[in-house]
Amino acid sequence: SMPPGTKTMSETPAALASATLAQLYIQQDHLEQARRVLARVLAADPFHGHALALAERLAARPRARLYAA
């Protein structure tokens, strides 16, 4: 078991910063960058709540828009 006071992966600054970065990318419509960042977060922490929620939002967006100029 983990020693008391140990942070879970979801709370690590790197994962948090990455999920926040992905959120900013989504807001700016940089969906491909957002997908890449989220893939990295979820590879490190498959149960990262914020990243999972963002990934679901991305999955709902039509991919066709990514290739429109």
Side-chain angles (χ1 to χ4, degrees):
S1 66
M2 299 198 318
T6 302
K7 283 187 176 294
T8 62
M9 278 295 295
S10 303
E11 292 164 1
T12 60
L16 189 63
S18 295
T20 304
L21 180 64
Q23 189 169 21
L24 289 173
Y25 277 143
I26 292 169
Q27 286 165 358
Q28 295 166 8
D29 235 33
H30 300 312
L31 305 187
E32 209 46 63
Q33 288 99 316
R35 281 193 180 90
R36 276 201 292 272
V37 171
L38 288 174
R40 214 161 52 226
V41 176
L42 292 170
D45 180 2
F47 302 105
H48 189 287
H50 188 196
L52 284 170
L54 292 172
E56 277 184 23
R57 259 172 62 192
L58 270 178
R61 307 275 294 259
R63 275 180 171 269
R65 292 185 56 203
L66 295 179
Y67 305 106

